[in-house]
Amino acid sequence: MMRKWMDRALLGLGWGALVAAVAGLVLHAGHWQRRNLVLLASGAMWLMLGAVLGVVLLLAARRWRSAGVAGVVLAGVLWTLVPPYVPDSRAADGPELVVLQSNLLFGRADPVAVTQVVRDNAVDVLTVDELTDDAIVRLRAAGLEEQLPHVYLEPARSGGGGTGIYSRYPLHDTVKYDGFIMSNISATMRHPQRGDISVFAFHPIPPNLNFDAWSAELRRVDEILAGVTGPAVVGADFNATQHHSAYRALLDGRFEAAAEQTGDGMLLTFPADRRWGPVIGIDHILLAGGVAEQVRALTIPGSDHRAVLATVRLDR
């Protein structure tokens, strides 16, 4: 009798885990136009992992047909989640470029820590979100502009609307794009070996604050990137994960995610200021005309995002 009740409990739990996994797959695949579904899709990966638990529980319950169904769902989960963790076989033979993307949390991130990461890793270009007037002063005092003397900055007096680009090499043709609530910018960096490289710093509004604007802004980013012809790097807090179709649309053309090129998959970057975080990856580096050789996420004290650091080999 005890075994019978245990098998029933395992069966119920197994099917519950399986339903969660299917929900995760549906959330990932859908082109959702509803705010709540988009927010749920941010954590689709965690729901999909229910397929593993489902297989184990249903096998333990000795329900072979149900376990077979769970196996099919697990195959779909693996088909969805594994490819970003397979390194790109393509190589490049041009000069190296080290890129850092960091959200400064309303300018509160530790300026010394940011500067130390730049110095220790010989960063060539830094894109920052939530840049404030005060943060510029503190970053300058910490010596950031001694490392990266060429800048294009569109700060906010306070809050999260400011954005900036710091570069080791000269910048020209700076642009602040319309169609965004916060500052979204670009500049052309004149690399001594590779020539002109487009650098973008994007920060669409979070979908929980203004869903319609978030959707429109990601479409605007897609339009901007579709017009890029030469080598380019993008540093961004897209407020979007790999499970959002609006983010994946950015990768339909020339641009690729640095973390996917290296097989690091989804780098979890937010929230970084909680004991239980980070649990989602919304900070990204994208590349065109180059291949990332190494990517990692770094903790920056004072920020609620982990920074993303990529070592890139440019195409000749």
Side-chain angles (χ1 to χ4, degrees), residues 70 89 95 98 132 140-141 144 146 151 153 166 223 231 251 265 284 297 302:
S89 60
V98 181
T132 62
R140 184 178 297 130
L144 178 61
E146 296 172 12
V151 302
L153 309 177
Y166 290 83
E223 292 172 0
L251 308 178
H284 307 271

Side-chain angles (χ1 to χ4, degrees), residues 179-181 204-207 209-219:
F180 296 93
I181 293 173
I205 195 77
L209 296 183
N210 189 328
F211 175 73
D212 290 338
W214 174 82
S215 300
E217 289 182 5
L218 279 173
R219 289 195 298 271

Side-chain angles (χ1 to χ4, degrees), residues 168-179:
R168 185 175 303 279
Y169 309 114
L171 299 175
H172 61 96
D173 292 341
T174 59
V175 179
K176 181 179 180 181
Y177 294 100
D178 57 11

Side-chain angles (χ1 to χ4, degrees), residues 148-210:
L148 303 175
H150 305 281
V151 302
Y152 172 40
L153 309 177
E154 291 285 353
R157 180 173 298 178
S158 61
T163 309
I165 298 171
Y166 290 83
S167 172
R168 185 175 303 279
Y169 309 114
L171 299 175
H172 61 96
D173 292 341
T174 59
V175 179
K176 181 179 180 181
Y177 294 100
D178 57 11
F180 296 93
I181 293 173
M182 300 188 287
S183 293
N184 286 252
I185 64 176
S186 73
T188 301
M189 178 178 64
R190 186 170 292 116
H191 193 279
Q193 296 170 274
R194 186 59 182 84
D196 284 350
I197 300 171
S198 298
V199 179
F200 297 88
F202 289 124
H203 191 199
I205 195 77
N208 58 309
L209 296 183
N210 189 328

Side-chain angles (χ1 to χ4, degrees), residues 227-309:
V228 177
T229 56
V233 297
V234 176
D237 169 7
F238 281 123
N239 283 304
T241 75
Q242 293 171 342
H243 301 305
H244 292 125
S245 60
Y247 167 74
R248 295 196 302 274
L250 306 180
L251 308 178
D252 285 345
R254 296 181 60 238
F255 283 85
E256 299 177 77
E260 294 186 23
Q261 288 182 330
T262 59
D264 287 285
M266 182 181 292
L267 291 178
L268 303 180
T269 61
F270 181 83
D273 59 347
R274 301 288 189 271
R275 288 186 178 182
W276 43 266
V279 295
I280 59 175
I282 59 177
D283 300 88
H284 307 271
I285 292 175
L286 309 184
L287 306 171
V291 179
E293 297 181 332
Q294 184 181 41
V295 177
R296 58 193 175 106
L298 303 169
T299 298
I300 302 293
S303 177
D304 58 345
H305 291 245
R306 301 193 78 193
V308 180
L309 177 71

Side-chain angles (χ1 to χ4, degrees), residues 95-100 117-119 121-127 147-150 165-171 189 191-192 199 309-312 314:
E96 181 181 277
L97 188 73
V98 181
V99 184
L100 179 66
V117 170
V118 168
R119 182 182 296 113
N121 294 279
V123 169
D124 296 303
V125 60
L126 163 67
T127 56
Q147 302 295 314
L148 303 175
H150 305 281
I165 298 171
Y166 290 83
S167 172
R168 185 175 303 279
Y169 309 114
L171 299 175
M189 178 178 64
H191 193 279
V199 179
L309 177 71
T311 301
V312 177
L314 298 168

